[in-house]
Amino acid sequence: MAASTTSQVYIDVIEDVMVKVRDEFVNNGGPGEEVLKELQAMWESKMMQAGAVLGPIERSTAAKPTPGGPITPVHDLNVPYEGTDEYETPTADMLFPPTPLQTPIQTPLPGTGDNSTYNIPTGPSDYPSSGNDTGGNADGKGARPAPYMQSPSPWMNQRPPLDVNVAYVEGRDEADRGTSNQPPTQDFFTMPSGKRKRNDLTSQYNAGGYIPQQDGAGDATHGDFEIEVPPISQHHIYHQDVCISFVSGRGISINSHHTISKGKMSADLERSTSRIPQLDGPIPYDDDDVLSTPNIYNYGEVFSEDYNISNTPAPPEVPASTPALLVQNEVGNDFDDDDDDEPPLNEEDDDDLDDMEQGEDQNTHHLVLAQFDKVTRTKSRWKCTLKDGIMHINNKDILFNKATGEFEF
Amino acid sequence: MATFELYRRSTIGMCLTETLDEMVQNGTLSPELAIQVLVQFDKSMTEALETQVKSKVSIKGHLHTYRFCDNVWTFILQDALFKNEDSQENVGRVKIVACDSKLLTQ
């Protein structure tokens, strides 16, 4: 009861403000009535979000249709359709007819057939629309949106009727809406049908099938890289102990041994005398000790990778020394020595009051705003009479005309 | 008609202030016109509370802090009980801000 009364008072206040301010918006070179309506809509929507106004808002000043005028039926898409017509509920057999076991016509691949297959007109839909079905809900009330989902003011609902089954294109006549002026889909598939052979790519390069590297940093190779991988039983694929050895001038040989240890990899990296010059990546600093982040680029002998640190080493920094604490007597003046025995100024303050004041404006959930008629005190007993107030208590707004308060201090 | 800016701290006043602030920042509204809207809101809110609201409330609680400055009383209550005609509410801590009603009649 009180919530609806408060909501109605708020709506009346909004209406009164809009009426009284309208002259300033419309006349005297104001921004116009559209801005005023936008202000009203935003204000009302914020009030609905705060829960202070119960929607939908119905006003006495809302525009009503003229009695003799033509009535254009407009169906609100936000409300479930509750028509009197009965439709047969489409079953799976109606919507999806059974497919024969053998498809008589082979499905054309893109690029092999004519392009008329992919010319999709955007005309009226021939499929039965199931958007109006309630889905077995007899009353249809379950799908009705909540009151706060309504648009804030009726001027936002005044739209021309829209046929959602027709794709509207700006600048196109009504007569052309049935057909599509859309060009057929272009055929970007120029590859021949069938599997792509390996020599299709390498034939345009050197005779040996060598594709030259065209981007990035080139690697100086010393000898050929050979990878020797003995056959591995698929049953023991997760129980392999892989030993990788780098032999100078020969390449990499990978030897796998059947072991029971799972997830354990022993890497034996032997440094080669012929060093591959580094052509990309960050240049390591000469002194690894001054790196502010751990060595993640494996500049040293041991490979370590930490995923919790940043991937870019910071430049060397000289650590700043912690300044020594100064003794108070060294800095203090001579005439300050007499005041050492005095307590601080705020020693006698009420700490409890300070705690209340700190969070007072930040986190005040309960607030009463009113006018006072009389405030009296007898010893520690306070009495006050308030009027014309707004209470915001427990996320509710309560308006009152008179209030009496009795407090014990 | 003299008005208080007191009610701008209410829910409806804060919603209006936020809306006007957004529109001024967007350039849709001039700051002078926004102030005029707020002044009109003060008048409309005061008038609506005088004429449309008839309910009575009683408040009881422990007075933690009181302050009287610039004709404005500020009370902070602890363990307050609000009794309305319809219901009653218990609140652990509430702040009451009240302006002098005699200033409006002058």
Side-chain angles (χ1 to χ4, degrees):
Chain A
M1 174 64 188
S4 61
T5 307
T6 303
S7 176
Q8 191 57 47
V9 171
Y10 282 164
I11 292 170
D12 292 342
V13 168
I14 294 173
E15 280 292 319
D16 189 51
V17 171
M18 292 300 120
V19 169
K20 300 282 179 61
V21 174
R22 186 178 181 277
D23 289 339
E24 299 292 335
F25 276 76
V26 176
N27 303 327
N28 303 327
E33 195 164 0
E34 289 299 319
V35 178
L36 183 66
K37 288 182 178 180
E38 181 185 354
L39 169 64
Q40 183 176 4
M42 289 176 65
W43 190 5
E44 289 173 351
S45 65
K46 284 181 183 295
M47 291 290 289
M48 284 184 182
Q49 289 174 6
V53 168
L54 306 176
I57 297 175
E58 296 178 359
R59 301 183 187 82
S60 57
T61 59
K64 296 180 176 58
T66 56
I71 299 173
T72 306
V74 178
H75 178 58
D76 190 0
L77 297 177
N78 292 324
V79 180
Y81 179 70
E82 297 177 356
T84 57
D85 300 333
E86 292 184 0
Y87 299 100
E88 183 180 0
T89 304
T91 60
D93 294 334
M94 294 170 59
L95 292 176
F96 308 106
T99 308
L101 293 178
Q102 292 181 354
T103 307
I105 303 173
Q106 188 176 2
T107 305
L109 291 174
T112 57
D114 55 347
N115 292 330
S116 62
T117 312
Y118 298 96
N119 188 5
I120 303 170
T122 56
S125 175
D126 296 331
Y127 297 101
S129 174
S130 61
N132 296 334
D133 295 335
T134 59
N137 192 0
D139 54 355
K141 295 288 188 298
R144 189 178 297 277
Y148 57 84
M149 292 296 290
Q150 301 290 334
S151 55
S153 55
W155 62 270
M156 296 181 71
N157 289 331
Q158 295 171 2
R159 297 175 184 151
L162 178 66
D163 189 0
V164 295
N165 292 324
V166 178
Y168 287 93
V169 177
E170 192 173 354
R172 194 164 69 171
D173 295 335
E174 288 288 336
D176 297 337
R177 280 191 181 150
T179 60
S180 172
N181 297 329
Q182 182 180 358
T185 307
Q186 295 181 4
D187 190 5
F188 294 105
F189 302 98
T190 57
M191 287 289 183
S193 59
K195 289 188 177 180
R196 191 171 55 193
K197 298 295 188 298
R198 184 186 295 265
N199 54 10
D200 290 342
L201 289 175
T202 58
S203 60
Q204 52 185 335
Y205 295 111
N206 300 334
Y210 171 71
I211 302 174
Q213 180 177 357
Q214 295 178 354
D215 55 353
D219 293 333
T221 58
H222 297 275
D224 297 330
F225 285 99
E226 297 177 0
I227 299 177
E228 301 171 1
V229 181
I232 300 172
S233 173
Q234 192 169 358
H235 300 288
H236 303 281
I237 192 75
Y238 292 106
H239 301 281
Q240 301 296 323
D241 196 352
V242 182
C243 178
I244 304 172
S245 61
F246 187 94
V247 183
S248 173
R250 184 173 179 270
I252 301 174
S253 66
I254 301 175
N255 300 320
S256 61
H257 310 283
H258 292 286
T259 58
I260 307 300
S261 63
K262 180 179 180 182
K264 182 180 178 183
M265 179 180 290
S266 63
D268 184 14
L269 297 176
E270 297 178 4
R271 289 280 179 180
S272 63
T273 56
S274 60
R275 181 175 177 179
I276 300 175
Q278 178 184 352
L279 297 177
D280 54 356
I283 300 173
Y285 301 107
D286 294 333
D287 190 5
D288 281 342
D289 294 333
V290 297
L291 282 176
S292 63
T293 55
N295 190 358
I296 58 174
Y297 283 107
N298 194 18
Y299 300 137
E301 296 294 329
V302 182
F303 177 77
S304 65
E305 190 169 9
D306 190 356
Y307 291 100
N308 296 322
I309 56 178
S310 61
N311 290 332
T312 306
E317 293 177 356
V318 179
S321 60
T322 305
L325 292 175
L326 295 176
V327 184
Q328 292 290 336
N329 294 333
E330 294 177 1
V331 186
N333 296 329
D334 294 336
F335 51 82
D336 287 339
D337 295 334
D338 299 335
D339 299 332
D340 288 341
D341 295 333
E342 290 186 3
L345 291 175
N346 295 330
E347 187 72 24
E348 300 298 326
D349 280 358
D350 189 3
D351 293 334
D352 191 20
L353 177 62
D354 291 340
D355 295 338
M356 296 288 288
E357 290 296 327
Q358 284 176 1
E360 186 178 38
D361 292 329
Q362 298 173 358
N363 202 9
T364 302
H365 296 291
H366 311 292
L367 181 64
V368 178
L369 303 169
Q371 303 171 26
F372 70 88
D373 280 335
K374 186 175 62 174
V375 176
T376 59
R377 178 182 68 88
T378 305
K379 292 183 180 180
S380 63
R381 189 177 185 85
W382 289 72
K383 289 185 180 181
C384 66
T385 55
L386 309 176
K387 72 171 195 175
D388 298 342
I390 303 174
M391 298 193 303
H392 183 73
I393 292 168
N394 295 333
N395 291 324
K396 289 189 294 185
D397 278 10
I398 301 171
L399 309 181
F400 62 86
N401 184 30
K402 291 281 184 184
T404 58
E406 294 182 3
F407 319 131
E408 279 287 336
F409 183 67
Chain B
M1 176 186 177
T3 55
F4 291 127
E5 297 180 2
L6 173 77
Y7 302 114
R8 297 183 190 181
R9 292 181 63 181
S10 63
T11 305
I12 183 171
M14 292 298 290
C15 290
L16 175 61
T17 305
E18 290 174 10
T19 304
L20 292 172
D21 192 36
E22 289 177 14
M23 296 182 76
V24 167
Q25 287 185 355
N26 293 337
T28 314
L29 212 61
S30 64
E32 294 80 15
L33 197 54
I35 291 172
Q36 288 185 2
V37 174
L38 281 174
V39 170
Q40 181 56 51
F41 165 74
D42 296 335
K43 295 178 182 178
S44 299
M45 195 73 225
T46 305
E47 184 182 355
L49 288 171
E50 285 178 0
T51 57
Q52 298 187 33
V53 180
K54 301 297 178 188
S55 60
K56 289 180 171 57
V57 176
S58 69
I59 309 168
K60 291 185 180 181
H62 172 70
L63 182 61
H64 180 275
T65 307
Y66 62 88
R67 183 187 303 126
F68 183 71
C69 182
D70 294 333
N71 287 315
V72 176
W73 274 107
T74 303
F75 301 106
I76 295 178
L77 305 183
Q78 287 180 332
D79 300 325
L81 175 66
F82 292 84
K83 282 188 180 179
N84 198 4
E85 292 146 356
D86 301 330
S87 61
Q88 69 178 33
E89 302 278 346
N90 275 295
V91 172
R93 177 178 173 273
V94 65
K95 183 178 182 180
I96 300 175
V97 180
C99 298
D100 194 352
S101 63
K102 298 180 183 65
L103 297 178
L104 289 184
T105 57
Q106 289 178 355

